[in-house]
Amino acid sequence: MTSYKTLKDMKLRDSWLKANGYNPNTFFNPDLEANFIRAKAAVKNLLKYQYLLTQEQIAQLNSFPLNKNKATPRQIFQALNLNKKIRRQLHRQQG
């Protein structure tokens, strides 16, 4: 149960955000749709570099949902983090 002080603080925070032109409903939540699109592109790109991936990572990429309604935030950020890791490895190999 949320305490009265917490509710009061949340209302104060939300009113400050509205006064400064922000939407309190979307301010604290990342834009999952944009991240889904980035993750979907990352998965497609990562499958080109399967020689750098473990079998577990390949299975994770192959099971990535292609429908944004079925993708969880955890799956999205795992794909984006793996993409960053592989990009770093490729950059080290080139340099």
Side-chain angles (χ1 to χ4, degrees), residues 39-95:
K40 189 174 173 183
V43 166
K44 184 177 178 183
N45 186 42
L46 283 171
L47 290 173
K48 296 176 189 174
Y49 301 105
Q50 290 188 9
Y51 64 93
L52 294 172
L53 302 171
T54 64
Q55 290 300 321
E56 182 181 306
Q57 291 168 334
I58 293 171
Q60 175 189 353
L61 293 175
N62 285 328
S63 68
F64 187 81
L66 300 177
N67 184 347
K68 70 178 177 181
N69 296 331
K70 293 184 180 180
T72 64
R74 180 178 181 184
Q75 290 173 316
I76 291 170
F77 291 115
Q78 282 177 338
L80 292 174
N81 290 336
L82 182 59
N83 186 47
K84 186 187 300 184
K85 178 182 176 183
I86 298 302
R87 278 194 351 240
R88 287 178 180 160
Q89 285 180 2
L90 289 171
H91 182 71
R92 280 189 221 118
Q93 287 178 356
Q94 291 174 356

Side-chain angles (χ1 to χ4, degrees), residues 1-13:
M1 185 169 170
T2 308
S3 70
Y4 174 74
K5 183 170 176 20
T6 304
L7 290 174
K8 185 178 174 184
D9 291 342
M10 289 170 61
K11 286 182 181 180
L12 182 64
R13 176 198 68 199

